[in-house]
Amino acid sequence: MTTANASTTSPGDKNRLSGQLGTAGVVFMVVAAAAPLTVVSGNTPLAIGLGNGAAAPLGFIFASIVLLIFSVGFVAMTPYVKEAGAFFTYVGTGLGARAGQGTAFVALITYTAIQLGIYGFFGWAANDTVVAMGGPALPWWLYAAASLIAVAALGYRHIELSSKVLGVALILEISVVLIMNVAIVAEPSGSAMSSLAHAPTAPAGAGPFGIAVLFGVTGFIGFEATAVFRDEARDPNRTIPRATYLAVLIIGAFYTVSCWCLVHAWGPATVRQVANQYLGNGGNMVLDTARFYTGHALADLMQLLLLTSLMACILSFHNIVARYQFVLANFGILPRAFAASHSRHGSPHISSLVQTVTAIVLVALCAISGASPLVGVFGSMAGIATVGIVMLMLLTSIAAAAFFFKAPHLAPGRALTTRWMPVAATALLAFILYLVLANFTTVTGLGVGISTLLAIIPMAAFAIGMVVIKKSSLASLATLSHAAG
């Protein structure tokens, strides 16, 4: 087994994590963080019902294209970013130390928020499953606490263990959706469920295309994990680019095809009304679709795998936040103790423990407040994370363009991929950020006032990160751009 560097280095040195993750291992971590079954069950009906109805698959296609364009500049910059930390180190390299730290603060807020939100979602889904099977109704936070313990144990150990656990969960959840999709396509009459649709509860016309794009983009949260695990990749300069493109293509294709199959299952003429019925009564449109086309056994299995999907998602975000904290400690932004690496597991064990304590405190506060696990916890935290992830990608695209415009000699003859593609990604992501903010109450499910406050949080985190910075941290962060140059 590989070992990590000792954590007894001087303050000016940087500790490294260790691992032998290949392309497949990194892709598993990223796609698991995207929680494909959770997105298909949650985002797809939202994109159809609140968005452009039967044309909702186009929203997922557009989101995938934007992410692929973004990836071009991201990948082109990868050989010049030697530190793990993903978006924060890319922005620090391209735009300077202050922007880098501001981005790091946004990332910490974003991933902490979505992890907390998923704990709420998991607690609700677990209780719903137990009750459906004839068990007792229990508080959501009890299930969240049980999952927290499991995530703490896995997050403390070697990253390859997490990768294997996530890989198994991921294969199972994708498999059941693919079985449902095949059954829908194989239905000889097509749109077999259209006759089951009740009286429409929403206008038959399509809603805004931007809503479908918005929910398509949120399905990619966790995308930057390809670079977060840089130190634990077997060959970072090859593994990260391959994993990045594969992750976008796999996630995008899976969401688009699954969304199209759901439209086909209910029929283009009625699918939007049906989706809104489910959104109104709290039912699960995808589980009922699976039950009709494949029988109760697969639908019940899918309901159980929704829980493993959420668990895999929580574990992925736990690992991402732990590694962000590890890298920030290496730069002197967080306490140096967070940069310790385990002598046997090669994991950021102290940072992982801190992340576990943070999650315990936040889940406890939500439980004490009496907030509902779906709207109060998941809805509000998903809103923060949506603004945060788009901000992170937007800043990274700006950084990539700035980096190569300042140093065109690093990529002679590659102006299209190193400069103009990041510029195009910047414009597209700015448009998507506008869509997110213009439709923010749809994301959160909350009122305008509280939604506005939630939207401001990632922006405030960036501003604070730009201002509150120690001289020693500034000097350490400045080494990013110097090393790249």
Side-chain angles (χ1 to χ4, degrees):
M1 179 177 288
T2 55
T3 58
N5 294 342
S7 59
T8 56
T9 54
S10 64
D13 297 328
K14 294 184 176 66
N15 295 329
R16 299 279 184 179
L17 302 176
S18 68
Q20 290 294 316
L21 288 175
T23 300
V26 177
V27 169
F28 276 141
M29 301 294 286
V30 176
V31 180
L37 179 54
T38 302
V39 172
V40 170
S41 298
N43 288 35
T44 300
L46 286 166
I48 293 171
L50 303 178
N52 54 340
L58 296 176
F60 288 96
I61 291 174
F62 182 78
S64 301
I65 291 172
V66 172
L67 266 292
L68 281 173
I69 294 172
F70 164 83
S71 298
V72 173
F74 183 68
V75 165
M77 200 172 169
T78 295
Y80 307 101
V81 181
K82 302 302 181 183
E83 298 289 340
F87 292 157
F88 131 66
T89 48
Y90 283 69
V91 174
T93 301
L95 298 179
R98 290 187 180 277
Q101 178 166 294
T103 303
F105 278 36
V106 174
L108 284 176
I109 289 290
T110 297
Y111 289 112
T112 299
I114 193 59
Q115 185 187 28
L116 175 60
I118 298 296
Y119 273 120
F121 195 160
F122 177 85
W124 171 85
N127 181 64
D128 186 61
T129 301
V130 170
V131 171
M133 293 181 174
L138 297 173
W140 68 270
W141 51 265
L142 286 177
Y143 295 104
S147 66
L148 203 155
I149 293 170
V151 167
L154 289 168
Y156 186 87
R157 296 173 63 82
H158 201 281
I159 188 62
E160 288 166 29
L161 175 61
S162 290
S163 177
K164 291 173 183 176
V165 171
L166 292 172
V168 172
L170 184 63
I171 289 170
L172 289 173
E173 64 179 277
I174 286 180
S175 296
V176 295
V177 177
L178 289 178
I179 292 171
M180 180 189 73
N181 290 347
V182 169
I184 292 170
V185 173
E187 172 65 40
S189 61
S191 305
M193 294 183 72
S194 60
S195 61
L196 301 182
H198 303 296
T201 58
F209 173 66
I211 295 290
V213 173
L214 187 157
F215 286 109
V217 170
T218 58
F220 285 88
I221 292 180
F223 162 76
E224 71 162 315
T226 52
V228 170
F229 300 106
R230 179 185 182 89
D231 287 349
E232 294 151 289
R234 189 177 299 126
D235 182 1
N237 287 341
R238 298 180 66 183
T239 299
I240 292 172
R242 289 176 179 175
T244 300
Y245 285 125
L246 274 174
V248 174
L249 290 171
I250 291 170
I251 294 170
F254 183 76
Y255 291 164
T256 301
V257 171
S258 298
C259 185
W260 178 85
C261 286
L262 201 59
V263 170
H264 182 70
W266 289 92
T270 57
V271 69
R272 185 166 181 252
Q273 293 91 327
V274 172
N276 277 290
Q277 289 169 20
Y278 276 97
L279 295 175
N281 62 29
N284 192 312
M285 182 179 181
V286 173
L287 287 182
D288 281 353
T289 305
R291 190 170 289 110
F292 181 89
Y293 279 93
T294 63
H296 287 273
L298 189 80
D300 292 342
L301 177 60
M302 188 180 287
Q303 187 165 14
L304 291 173
L305 288 176
L306 177 60
L307 300 182
T308 65
S309 173
L310 291 167
M311 273 289 295
C313 188
I314 294 171
L315 177 58
S316 293
F317 290 131
H318 174 96
N319 285 332
I320 290 171
V321 175
R323 280 150 184 80
Y324 254 109
Q325 292 175 166
F326 177 90
V327 175
L328 290 174
N330 265 320
F331 283 103
I333 297 168
L334 293 179
R336 183 67 182 173
F338 289 22
S341 51
H342 198 282
S343 60
R344 183 159 61 92
H345 298 307
S347 63
H349 61 300
I350 299 299
S351 182
S352 180
L353 288 173
V354 171
Q355 171 56 19
T356 296
V357 172
T358 301
I360 290 172
V361 171
L362 292 175
V363 169
L365 288 174
C366 289
I368 293 169
S369 72
S372 65
L374 276 185
V375 176
V377 180
F378 178 72
S380 58
M381 294 301 105
I384 294 172
T386 300
V387 174
I389 194 66
V390 178
M391 281 183 62
L392 290 172
M393 290 190 291
L394 177 60
L395 288 165
T396 303
S397 290
I398 295 170
F403 178 76
F404 286 111
F405 270 111
K406 288 187 293 187
H409 62 280
L410 294 177
R414 294 171 54 204
L416 176 63
T417 57
T418 60
R419 280 173 272 175
W420 299 115
M421 291 293 268
V423 168
T426 298
L428 288 167
L429 288 164
F431 171 66
I432 289 176
L433 182 59
Y434 162 75
L435 290 177
V436 170
L437 295 175
N439 299 283
F440 199 59
T441 55
T442 302
V443 180
T444 63
L446 301 170
V448 175
I450 186 65
S451 294
T452 302
L453 290 175
L454 293 173
I456 290 172
I457 290 175
M459 303 174 192
F462 181 75
I464 293 170
M466 288 276 288
V467 174
V468 182
I469 186 167
K470 297 183 295 185
K471 288 185 178 180
S472 58
S473 302
L474 192 64
S476 184
L477 283 165
T479 61
L480 287 171
S481 53
H482 294 327

